[in-house]
Amino acid sequence: LNTKMLRSLHCSLRLAGSSARQYASVKCGSCFKQDLKKTALFGLHTEYSGKMVDFAGWAMPVQYKEGIKESHIHTRTSASVFDVSHMGQLRIEGNDRASFLESLVVGDIKGLPESAGRLTLFTNENGGIIDDSVVTNAGDHLYVVINAGCKDKDMEHIGAHLAAAKGKGMDVDVMEMEENSLIALQGPKAATVLSRFLPDSFNLAAMNFMTGVEVDIRGVKCRVTRCGYTGEDGFEVSIPTSNVVSITEELLGQEEVLPAGLGARDSLRLEAGLCLYGNDIDMTTTPAEAVLGWTISKNRREEANFLGADRILPQLKKKSDGGIPPERKRVGFVITGKAAPARQGTRIMSADGDEIGQVTSGCFSPSLNYPIGMAYVKRDFAKVETPLFFDVRGKKIEGEVRKMPFVPAQYYKAP
């Protein structure tokens, strides 16, 4: 997800009220006048009464007949299928694949055990975040998933550095996996459902969160990664496009499973405290400002050989060690009392009336039944329980900084 996409999803943050339904149907009626790209599951979305919107040039479902709030709660209590085929899937090959990728991202790729995955960040020379990505060591290659709205700029960035690497004699190739689609099966019953589709010999219970393997699903070779964007246990499944409709139809035929759209995906990720690219992180945001310093391991800090290291690393050190802490930090917040959510762009004030920050994401939490959000505030106001005041349509709304995630994560760890 990113900011351009979120403009198409303005209704999603209003959940399943009349405004959401009206917006979605208006967009549905107009978006097909454009030459929108469609995933292989487009027909299935319409069959399930999906409200289709223009989502960064793709016709994608923002919600289904159950509504966004209902889809959200169903994902938290059972299992939902999301179409995420608009995201980019990359295969990086060659003996120098890990070294090449480490020149572009902050994470430890060389140290990834086989089948292990890792969230990492592509950064630019100024320390800003180009994209966030999940990288998996697939044995003879690296499997990388990038955000849909960042795909074009990511590929341009990767391509420029790939040409330079090849010019230096590095053995590396990057390929887009255009022949594969991608779905996400998320929720506490996701593992129970998926296990029905796997060979009897496959031990799903031994598969930890952030690991990925190739396995047959109904006789079709797929890549299953135990990860997701909801805070729940779940899987992202890369499926040959020729087989994705039949497999997804069969998943939706399970009694525990319903389809879910981008509206529920957004409210779920916000409850889980997960960043939305273009809102909560972007080209001007450093990992330290975004409180994502944990993605940079000790050895990568010592090597200091990724783009933007000169700016990023001093921000991660304590002042006593010569560090230069960032002036702002990403925080979670709640609105106290009965009030509407504070949306992206809302100004934040201190108790003295000074402007101290701005909201980057906000919605009404279906799980908690009160408004939540993320923001950047001046460093001195980032402590949990610090009072915040939001300028919502000219009204002063009270809130406070809260620890994230707002809803405890349910990531799976094998016994």
Side-chain angles (χ1 to χ4, degrees):
L1 296 176
N2 69 15
T3 300
K4 290 181 180 178
M5 298 176 182
L6 199 62
R7 293 190 185 112
S8 293
L9 289 176
H10 177 66
C11 63
S12 73
L13 298 181
R14 300 187 184 280
L15 298 177
S18 59
S19 296
R21 290 191 291 271
Q22 182 180 11
Y23 177 84
S25 59
V26 167
K27 293 298 290 182
C28 184
S30 63
C31 67
F32 301 111
K33 295 177 184 178
Q34 308 170 37
D35 185 21
L36 294 182
K37 292 176 281 188
K38 300 177 178 67
T39 73
L41 296 175
F42 176 83
L44 206 58
H45 298 317
T46 56
E47 180 183 333
Y48 276 80
S49 302
K51 300 288 187 180
M52 309 301 289
V53 298
D54 178 355
F55 194 75
W58 291 83
M60 297 296 291
V62 66
Q63 67 179 71
Y64 294 88
K65 59 185 177 182
E66 294 82 12
I68 294 172
K69 182 176 182 179
E70 289 76 8
S71 289
H72 178 115
I73 297 301
H74 186 82
T75 307
R76 287 270 182 256
T77 57
S78 190
S80 298
V81 169
F82 299 79
D83 180 9
V84 289
S85 301
H86 55 311
M87 298 181 73
Q89 300 180 73
L90 309 180
R91 181 185 176 103
I92 304 182
E93 298 179 342
N95 292 329
D96 298 318
R97 59 188 180 274
S99 295
F100 170 71
L101 191 56
E102 281 195 353
S103 71
L104 302 180
V105 303
V106 301
D108 180 5
I109 307 304
K110 293 178 184 177
L112 264 182
E114 186 167 344
S115 299
R118 175 163 291 151
L119 176 71
T120 192
L121 307 171
F122 285 87
T123 51
N124 59 28
E125 290 80 357
N126 297 319
I129 299 171
I130 296 174
D131 197 4
D132 56 328
S133 172
V134 173
V135 178
T136 303
N137 179 359
D140 62 351
H141 68 280
L142 297 172
Y143 172 64
V144 182
V145 178
I146 56 179
N147 280 307
C150 299
K151 194 188 305 184
D152 290 344
K153 71 171 181 178
D154 286 358
M155 294 311 299
E156 182 178 354
H157 177 71
I158 293 169
H161 286 272
L162 179 64
K166 284 179 171 290
K168 295 176 182 177
M170 291 185 74
D171 177 22
V172 60
D173 286 293
V174 180
M175 292 148 283
E176 289 190 65
M177 298 172 59
E178 296 178 339
E179 72 284 358
N180 275 38
S181 294
L182 189 66
I183 62 171
L185 177 65
Q186 299 284 296
K189 297 183 181 179
T192 299
V193 171
L194 186 61
S195 65
R196 298 173 191 149
F197 291 73
L198 302 175
D200 292 340
S201 59
F202 187 83
N203 185 6
L204 191 62
M207 188 176 181
N208 281 312
F209 183 72
M210 291 303 285
T211 60
V213 296
E214 288 189 349
V215 62
D216 283 357
I217 295 179
R218 292 292 190 256
V220 178
K221 187 177 180 181
C222 300
R223 171 157 286 278
V224 174
T225 307
R226 197 161 202 161
C227 68
Y229 194 50
T230 64
E232 295 294 330
D233 185 23
F235 307 87
E236 289 186 356
V237 187
S238 179
I239 306 171
T241 296
S242 57
N243 302 102
V244 70
V245 172
S246 61
I247 290 175
T248 304
E249 282 182 327
E250 196 168 353
L251 283 169
L252 289 169
Q254 307 301 299
E255 63 178 359
E256 301 94 338
V257 181
L258 287 175
L262 297 168
R265 183 171 157 86
D266 190 61
S267 55
L268 287 159
R269 70 90 193 169
L270 187 49
E271 288 186 347
L274 301 175
C275 292
L276 169 68
Y277 191 89
N279 276 42
D280 311 306
I281 51 175
D282 59 26
M283 299 271 278
T284 68
T285 312
T286 68
E289 291 174 326
V291 197
L292 294 172
W294 58 268
T295 63
I296 310 175
S297 62
K298 181 180 178 181
N299 67 306
R300 293 308 320 268
R301 297 183 192 203
E302 292 172 349
E303 293 168 351
N305 57 357
F306 52 85
L307 293 175
D310 289 348
R311 183 184 179 200
I312 294 169
L313 294 179
Q315 291 186 345
L316 296 174
K317 293 180 180 179
K318 296 178 180 179
K319 268 189 175 182
S320 57
D321 295 329
I324 308 172
E327 293 299 315
R328 60 174 186 161
K329 288 184 69 176
R330 179 174 64 94
V331 298
F333 69 83
V334 301
I335 301 295
T336 53
K338 292 184 178 180
R343 308 288 182 182
Q344 181 192 14
T346 299
R347 296 188 306 149
I348 304 174
M349 311 295 191
S350 69
D352 296 328
D354 298 323
E355 186 168 345
I356 58 170
Q358 191 173 81
V359 174
T360 55
S361 290
C363 76
F364 187 86
S365 165
S367 301
L368 303 173
N369 287 314
Y370 52 75
I372 61 172
M374 287 189 208
Y376 280 86
V377 297
K378 292 181 178 180
R379 186 174 68 246
D380 292 342
F381 296 88
K383 187 177 179 181
V384 172
E385 296 185 355
T386 298
L388 303 174
F389 299 86
F390 301 85
D391 181 5
V392 179
R393 303 186 192 95
K395 294 182 179 180
K396 187 178 181 181
I397 304 299
E398 295 186 24
E400 66 179 32
V401 176
R402 287 283 178 89
K403 186 178 178 180
M404 294 185 286
F406 299 101
V407 174
Q410 303 297 323
Y411 303 137
Y412 179 80
K413 185 176 181 180

